[in-house]
Amino acid sequence: MATLASEQTRPSMSTFERYLTLWVALCIVAGIALGSVMPGIFATIAAAEVARVNLVVAVLVWLMIVPMLLKIDFGSLGSVRQHWKGVGVTLFINWAVKPFSMAALGTFFIGYLFAPLLPAGEGPSYIAGLILLAAAPCTAMVFVWSNLCDGEPNYTLSQVALNDVLMIFLFAPLVALLLGVAAVTVPWDTLMLSVLLYIVVPVIVAQVIRRGVLGSGGKPALDRVLARLGPVSLVALLATLVLLFGFQGEQILARPLVIALLAVPILIQVYFNAGLAYWLSRRFGVAWCVAAPAALIGASNFFELAVAAAISLFGLNSGAALATVVGVLVEVPVMLSVVAIVKRTRGWYERGAVA
């Protein structure tokens, strides 16, 4: 199992993934342009809803999430005890620090400091989007970040699997708590439906497919399936962004400053959590090959889930949905910079780590 985990969590970053920020930017432009040229089509898509869940977006989110979840072997949870210090640091950051610090940063910057520069009455919706972004710890993209910094593959795999299990039980209560603090009404039925649709069911479906493929063709067959489905996740993400910005095009053209202002708390959040995870790992004597991915897992977000939940809870053209998309735009280049920082500071880290 260790060999399988090691091989699975060492993917190379494709050219498509490396330039994800560029593709996101192009999709933003395309979405705004198409929304202006073909408003009727976007209105028809927006109307395809059941219990406030947009059916087209739901399909796209499944296409995003399921191929990524196929990489996760929940049997690796047994290896958590081998890296318990690193796991403890990341769990602390993901569930006890990141959501609450983002709520505080969002309230300060969006609800107070930048409030005069933002559209009247939109602050709570933007804050809600930031909270949704921070409440979902990253899963699939972490494999890429860990690979780039030569992280311990068994730790990365077990931590991601553990986060997926915890999200099933913690995401909805945590979001409800923080949205309540931010004075946003929580539609519990939609929130629970989002958790069911975007976490529980995809996890079950992915594991059924994974076991079926491994049972029929072993690891080579799974590798072939992952190779075929890999691009599907990113294409579905980009298609979702085109839809989202097609609905929000008028707002964005009228208020481009909003994007820049929303990026501020997201940037602070990423560097703060990455730095705290890295420092705590050093203080607890965690090996650098575990500390590096711990910093990345602690800082990054499951933005596919955040975007889907924001759309389900608040709508395609909401401020919350826009805030989660800004998170996508910001995360890739920022996470690449975190990879560079942890690699360049390896000598400093290993000189001060206390066993």
Side-chain angles (χ1 to χ4, degrees), residues 53-116:
V53 173
N54 186 274
L55 299 180
V56 177
V57 173
V59 171
L60 290 173
V61 170
W62 267 54
L63 292 175
M64 282 187 245
I65 295 176
V66 171
M68 295 181 176
L69 292 176
L70 283 173
K71 301 176 184 179
I72 297 174
D73 175 17
F74 286 98
S76 67
L77 284 173
S79 66
V80 165
R81 59 183 177 273
Q82 299 175 19
H83 309 288
W84 67 271
K85 289 183 179 179
V87 169
V89 167
T90 309
L91 288 179
F92 173 70
I93 297 297
N94 281 160
W95 298 106
V97 176
K98 185 162 63 174
F100 300 95
S101 61
M102 180 60 94
L105 288 169
T107 300
F108 174 71
F109 283 102
I110 305 303
Y112 173 69
L113 190 63
F114 297 154

Side-chain angles (χ1 to χ4, degrees), residues 125-164:
S125 182
Y126 294 138
I127 295 171
L130 295 176
I131 289 171
L132 286 167
L133 193 65
C138 191
T139 55
M141 286 298 288
V142 167
F143 292 114
V144 176
W145 310 137
S146 181
N147 178 59
L148 290 176
C149 67
D150 301 319
E152 163 56 45
N154 292 310
Y155 160 77
T156 304
L157 188 66
S158 60
Q159 180 66 76
V160 168
L162 184 59
N163 271 341
D164 270 3

Side-chain angles (χ1 to χ4, degrees), residues 126-285:
Y126 294 138
I127 295 171
L130 295 176
I131 289 171
L132 286 167
L133 193 65
C138 191
T139 55
M141 286 298 288
V142 167
F143 292 114
V144 176
W145 310 137
S146 181
N147 178 59
L148 290 176
C149 67
D150 301 319
E152 163 56 45
N154 292 310
Y155 160 77
T156 304
L157 188 66
S158 60
Q159 180 66 76
V160 168
L162 184 59
N163 271 341
D164 270 3
V165 171
L166 291 174
M167 269 196 290
I168 293 173
F169 302 101
L170 297 181
F171 180 75
L174 187 59
V175 167
L177 170 66
L178 292 175
L179 291 186
V181 171
V184 176
T185 301
V186 180
W188 269 101
D189 55 343
T190 306
L191 180 57
M192 295 307 297
L193 181 60
S194 296
V195 172
L196 180 66
L197 281 178
Y198 303 131
I199 303 179
V200 179
V201 175
V203 166
I204 294 173
V205 170
Q207 289 305 299
V208 169
I209 295 173
R210 177 187 171 86
R211 291 186 181 185
V213 173
L214 286 173
S216 61
K219 183 179 179 299
L222 180 62
D223 288 342
R224 288 193 295 272
V225 171
L226 291 174
R228 290 171 188 157
L229 294 181
V232 172
S233 293
L234 292 178
V235 171
L237 169 63
L238 297 179
T240 303
L241 297 182
V242 171
L243 283 180
L244 182 62
F245 279 94
F247 282 96
Q248 302 210 349
E250 291 184 6
Q251 292 187 58
I252 294 166
L253 291 175
R255 311 182 188 102
L257 182 61
V258 170
I259 304 293
L261 296 180
L262 287 172
V264 172
I266 296 173
L267 283 169
I268 295 174
Q269 168 84 346
V270 170
Y271 286 121
F272 169 73
N273 286 296
L276 181 59
Y278 200 49
W279 178 78
L280 287 174
S281 296
R282 190 173 186 255
R283 292 285 295 175
F284 290 129

